[in-house]
Amino acid sequence: QVQLVESGGGLVQAGGSLRLLCAASGRTRSPYAMGWFRQAPGKEREFVAVTTWSYGVTDYADSVMGRFTISRDNAKNTVDLQMNSLKPEDTAVYYCGVSAGGSYFTAPSYNSWGQGTQVTVFS
């Protein structure tokens, strides 16, 4: 079982930046991918960004492309999400997840999740 802990959320004005960190511990045998999802009140959990663990291939949701950057540190078992040019519509709880395979765009492909960190962007 992998334990994930997110940090770095907070309150920020539109146009500002935040950096989220996800730290993995426990059975951290190289996963297929680690991703970030977010969930706003009354909405489903949606894909934000992903990085494959072995080769560092990255992918992003269209809504964050060019503003968010995901990066990993294999030695530290961490994944960061740098979020720039934040918008009020980015407000959500952000979750880090580990996937063993399958479509990394979809939440069911992830078998471990962190507790989430709140990001609130005000205009």
Side-chain angles (χ1 to χ4, degrees), residues 3-39:
Q3 290 80 44
L4 302 172
V5 177
E6 302 98 335
S7 60
L11 183 67
V12 64
Q13 191 170 18
S17 299
L18 284 174
R19 188 176 187 90
L20 305 184
L21 174 69
C22 175
S25 61
R27 290 189 175 183
T28 56
R29 182 176 53 184
S30 296
Y32 169 63
M34 290 187 70
W36 286 94
F37 282 66
R38 64 187 182 188
Q39 188 166 17

Side-chain angles (χ1 to χ4, degrees), residues 18-91:
L18 284 174
R19 188 176 187 90
L20 305 184
L21 174 69
C22 175
S25 61
R27 290 189 175 183
T28 56
R29 182 176 53 184
S30 296
Y32 169 63
M34 290 187 70
W36 286 94
F37 282 66
R38 64 187 182 188
Q39 188 166 17
K43 294 188 176 181
E44 293 186 354
R45 191 169 296 192
E46 66 172 2
F47 169 77
V48 175
V50 65
T51 179
T52 61
W53 201 248
S54 296
Y55 298 103
V57 176
T58 59
D59 208 344
Y60 300 89
D62 289 344
S63 58
V64 307
M65 187 79 71
R67 300 188 296 122
F68 291 12
T69 302
I70 188 171
S71 60
R72 81 201 193 289
D73 186 326
N74 291 28
K76 295 181 179 179
N77 288 327
T78 59
V79 175
D80 290 355
L81 185 68
Q82 176 67 42
M83 305 187 296
N84 299 327
S85 302
L86 283 161
K87 305 175 181 180
E89 50 264 44
D90 294 319
T91 295

